[in-house]
Amino acid sequence: MRSIPSALAAELASGATTLCRCWKAIRSDSSRFGFTDHDRDLTFDSVTFRAATGLEASEAEALLGMAIGGGEVSGALSTEALTDKDIEAGLWDGATIETWLVDWRDVSRRMLLDAGQIGEIRRQGEAFTAEVRSLAQGLDQVQGRRYSAICDAELGDGRCGVSLSSAANRLTASVASAPDATSFSFLAAAGFDPGAFAGGTARFSDGETAAIMGHTRAGSLDVITLWAPPRHAPAPGDALVLTAGCDKRFPTCRDRFANAANFRGFPHIPGNDYLMGYARQGEPGQDGGAIQP
């Protein structure tokens, strides 16, 4: 059972409370920020909790046992602490969020309500919504390596070893047409097959980066489809840099990137269907050879 400080308990029992909520955020770079839904700034624990940030929170969910609870916080990208560049750079990924109930007349009368970590961050225009997951979510994360037919490295990282800055994996192009906010086309370039940029990124001239969902070819034009619309919709003539993607399959690693030696998956282990089946004469994969070509 949670223990409520006596001074705060007396305030709650009075029937006329002067309470507000404060959120303390500790980022991965150890920077600390404070926000409050009160109408003026508050300070405690050497952190100033800024008012007028437009920050608000949903009701938090607490579950018994090992289930993962949580809630959401929403606000505007209007303060120095909450910038889209920091979000894109990943500085807020996994940040710790403490939620405090505070008597704004005397901040010493306060109680820690909950602590969690920032999960998924969704942006729409100049606003954002961040998922706050309970600390129990760490128990639901994979620890160590997992046996999987696909690679568990990220394209271009130290375990992968592929250079994303090379001409074979990066293309500078110009938008030819943009029928909507999530798709555009450019003049097809030699050396890049359809699908080469699927799963990759598109970086626009203003520095914004968007994730690519699909890459197809229609005549002399290549068509890119984005997972989500960027802040500034692409327009004909816009310059951009496209970076290749990877579907993490062994044939792709071997044939497209010539990187089979660094493949971080297990392409030759049988799947569930294979294990539950039985040998049939003439079927492929029943001769004791490799399952993957």
Side-chain angles (χ1 to χ4, degrees):
M1 180 178 294
R2 179 174 297 173
S3 176
I4 302 177
S6 56
L8 183 60
E11 176 68 16
L12 292 171
S14 68
T17 60
T18 53
L19 303 176
C20 66
R21 291 198 180 190
C22 293
W23 296 273
K24 179 164 66 175
I26 306 173
R27 294 193 325 197
S28 56
D29 60 357
S30 299
S31 298
R32 305 201 304 173
F33 302 91
F35 312 94
T36 180
D37 57 6
H38 189 42
D39 58 3
R40 60 181 176 86
D41 295 351
L42 302 174
T43 301
F44 59 86
D45 287 347
S46 302
V47 175
T48 298
F49 295 80
R50 302 292 183 185
T53 59
L55 198 72
E56 61 181 15
S58 69
E59 292 295 326
E61 182 182 37
L63 303 174
L64 294 175
M66 303 302 291
I68 300 173
E72 290 183 339
V73 291
S74 303
L77 298 170
S78 59
T79 69
E80 294 181 0
L82 295 169
T83 65
D84 53 355
K85 290 184 178 180
D86 285 348
I87 293 175
E88 289 179 358
L91 294 179
W92 286 95
D93 294 351
T96 299
I97 299 291
E98 295 179 357
T99 303
W100 291 82
L101 184 66
V102 182
D103 182 351
W104 52 262
R105 294 184 304 177
D106 182 358
V107 295
S108 66
R109 296 187 291 198
R110 62 181 183 269
M111 180 178 68
L112 179 64
L113 295 178
D114 195 15
Q117 288 184 323
I118 291 291
E120 179 185 5
I121 299 177
R122 303 186 301 275
R123 291 186 302 161
Q124 185 174 6
E126 297 301 320
F128 77 95
T129 299
E131 178 187 18
V132 180
R133 299 172 179 169
S134 72
L135 297 179
Q137 64 95 22
L139 301 175
D140 197 39
Q141 303 299 313
V142 175
Q143 302 295 325
R145 296 194 64 189
R146 170 185 291 176
Y147 284 98
S148 173
I150 63 174
C151 181
D152 62 2
E154 294 298 326
L155 182 64
D157 68 10
R159 298 175 63 233
C160 169
V162 169
S163 174
L164 294 180
S165 61
S166 69
N169 299 316
R170 178 168 291 196
L171 173 68
T172 300
S174 178
V175 175
S177 63
D180 55 62
T182 58
S183 65
F184 60 86
S185 64
F186 62 94
L187 189 63
F192 293 95
D193 296 328
F197 296 111
T201 58
R203 185 175 184 85
F204 299 94
S205 56
D206 63 355
E208 183 177 6
T209 301
I212 298 174
M213 179 174 65
H215 171 207
T216 59
R217 182 160 293 166
S220 62
L221 293 177
D222 278 14
V223 180
I224 294 293
T225 305
L226 304 176
W227 282 103
R231 293 191 311 277
H232 305 291
D238 288 352
L240 71 156
V241 177
L242 300 170
T243 303
C246 180
D247 60 10
K248 300 182 180 294
R249 298 186 307 116
F250 180 70
T252 302
C253 183
R254 178 192 61 199
D255 302 335
R256 184 191 297 175
F257 298 105
N259 194 44
N262 288 329
F263 186 73
R264 303 297 177 176
F266 303 87
H268 303 304
I269 62 173
N272 292 337
D273 293 342
Y274 186 87
L275 290 175
M276 297 297 292
Y278 54 91
R280 293 173 179 166
Q281 187 174 3
E283 276 200 359
Q286 302 292 345
D287 58 359
I291 297 176
Q292 291 280 355

